[in-house]
């Protein structure tokens, strides 16, 4: 008698088991049909184990799988109050929906699925952002909203550092939101990914924090950037006489001299600062207008 027969006999108490019981025939057929790679992990059941024990074990497996599926909870009066899938968790709290982003790199359709399940016609896209813009709604496009409709972004818990474990992105939506459209939320960038949303490079929390690059020479600012271990790129502009500036993408290959003027600095991607420069100095900053 082999291990399979022992297992069958423990479960099927039919006369002459494990050879003749109907449960034994069925169980043996299922076990023998199982690929060897999986079969070798089958535990030996102790003598006296019942079909109920096997059934409960199967129920536990089903319950574990169910946790991974989308979940929708309804309130006492019927309307949905919470939804969760692999990418987003949305709950109604104190008159607003709080959507916690579980996977900031997920397919955007999974975010929309969550809002749609709660009756909200909101699309959400996450854009790579410089550190101080992570968690911001960087732009949005909505139609048909009322004055009571509110939408915002942030970090959960508030004030946490995005790169630290447990610091999550969140979106808040007023209950009964009537608008239709899409919001763009800043997320941490992947290595080598260019920012699609950023602040000035010299504000607190950005790469030139504590240093003012405006209206200094390129030589000065590049030296400071290198001192901080940063790479430098340039965006060449032509100041307009009445203020403002113009930029021609085909004129970005010119050699930038150390005597050129820096009018602003922007984070381009992690470790790289982009300097907005012109060859000649003008009386008024063409980028900031001061």
């Amino acid at each position: 008698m082999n291990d399979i027969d022992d297992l069958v006999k423990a479960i099927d108490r039919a006369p002459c088991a494990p050879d003749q019981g109907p449960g034994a025939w069925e169980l043996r057929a299922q076990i023998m049909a199982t690929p060897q790679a999986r079969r070798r992990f089958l535990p030996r059941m102790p003598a006296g184990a019942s079909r109920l024990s096997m059934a409960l074990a199967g129920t536990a497996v089903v319950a574990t799988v169910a946790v991974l599926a989308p979940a929708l909870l309804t309130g006492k009066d019927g309307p949905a109050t919470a939804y969760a899938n692999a990418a987003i968790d949305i709950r109604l709290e104190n008159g607003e929906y709080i959507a916690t982003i579980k996977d900031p790199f997920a397919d955007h359709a999974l975010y929309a699925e969550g809002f749609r399940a709660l009756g909200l016609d909101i699309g959400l896209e996450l854009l790579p952002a410089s550190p101080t813009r992570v968690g911001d709604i960087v732009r949005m496009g909505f139609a048909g909203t009322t004055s009571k409709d509110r939408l915002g972004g942030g970090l959960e818990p508030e004030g946490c550092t995005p790169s630290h474990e447990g610091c999550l992105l969140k979106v808040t939506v007023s209950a009964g939101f009537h608008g239709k459209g899409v919001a763009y939320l800043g997320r941490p960038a992947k290595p080598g990914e260019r920012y699609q949303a950023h602040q000035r490079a010299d504000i607190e929390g950005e790469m030139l924090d504590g240093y003012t690059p405006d209206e200094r020479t390129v030589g000065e600012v590049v030296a400071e950037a290198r001192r901080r271990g940063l790479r430098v790129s340039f965006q060449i502009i032509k100041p307009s006489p009445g203020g403002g500036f113009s930029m021609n993408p085909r004129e970005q290959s010119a050699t930038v001299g150390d005597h050129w003027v820096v009018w602003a600095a922007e984070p381009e991607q992690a470790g790289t600062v982009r300097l907005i420069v012109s060859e000649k100095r003008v009386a008024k900053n063409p980028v900031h207008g001061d």
Side-chain angles (χ1 to χ4, degrees):
M1 187 177 297
N2 57 29
D3 289 347
I4 294 174
D5 290 332
D6 287 342
L7 177 61
V8 171
K9 185 174 182 179
I11 297 172
D12 193 333
R13 294 300 185 183
C16 303
D19 296 319
Q20 297 180 9
W25 299 333
E26 181 180 355
L27 179 59
R28 185 185 292 104
Q30 291 180 1
I31 294 174
M32 295 305 293
T34 303
Q36 184 66 30
R38 294 175 55 194
R39 196 187 316 151
R40 67 171 179 266
F41 293 108
L42 284 172
R44 176 177 294 207
M45 296 292 291
S50 65
R51 285 195 183 92
L52 177 60
S53 300
M54 293 293 286
L56 289 175
T59 302
V61 173
V62 172
T64 301
V65 173
V67 171
L68 302 178
L72 181 66
L73 301 179
T74 58
K76 294 180 180 179
D77 300 326
T81 59
Y83 179 89
N85 60 24
I88 193 168
D89 184 295
I90 310 175
R91 299 182 181 277
L92 181 62
E93 297 180 7
N94 301 321
E96 68 178 2
Y97 287 101
I98 300 177
T100 303
I101 309 301
K102 293 157 49 173
D103 182 357
F105 307 109
D107 188 326
H108 298 152
L110 291 175
Y111 308 136
E113 173 188 290
F115 289 114
R116 187 168 56 249
L118 299 174
L120 301 168
D121 194 352
I122 295 175
L124 177 64
E125 295 191 24
L126 274 66
L127 305 178
S130 66
T132 59
R133 297 231 63 185
V134 172
D136 286 353
I137 299 290
V138 297
R139 67 177 185 269
M140 65 178 75
F142 285 93
T145 60
T146 70
S147 59
K148 296 181 179 179
D149 290 338
R150 300 182 309 279
L151 187 146
L155 299 172
E156 182 64 39
E158 286 190 25
C160 66
T161 303
S163 59
H164 289 185
E165 184 177 355
C167 187
L168 303 175
L169 299 169
K170 72 175 181 180
V171 174
T172 57
V173 184
S174 55
F177 190 93
H178 295 87
K180 177 180 180 180
V182 61
Y184 298 86
L185 181 71
R187 62 158 172 81
K190 299 176 184 178
E193 191 175 26
R194 290 194 174 201
Y195 300 137
Q196 294 185 41
H198 57 75
Q199 296 276 23
R200 292 171 51 156
D202 56 320
I203 69 169
E204 184 178 356
E206 295 289 352
M207 54 185 66
L208 288 181
D209 183 353
Y211 179 81
T212 303
D214 301 8
E215 302 186 38
R216 295 178 185 265
T217 65
V218 165
E220 290 178 283
V221 180
V222 167
E224 176 64 21
R226 288 176 177 165
R227 187 182 70 80
R228 297 178 182 227
L230 301 173
R231 299 179 296 274
V232 177
S233 67
F234 298 103
Q235 179 176 307
I236 300 171
I237 63 171
K238 290 185 176 180
S240 301
F245 63 90
S246 62
M247 191 275 291
N248 188 339
R250 293 172 298 191
E251 296 179 354
Q252 297 299 304
S253 59
T255 300
V256 175
D258 285 347
H259 65 284
W260 286 38
V261 182
V262 176
W263 299 106
E266 301 172 343
E268 182 174 280
Q269 63 185 68
T272 301
V273 61
R274 177 172 54 245
L275 305 183
I276 301 176
V277 303
S278 69
E279 184 176 5
K280 299 185 181 298
R281 183 179 296 275
V282 293
K284 196 173 185 180
N285 188 312
V287 177
H288 304 307
D290 52 14

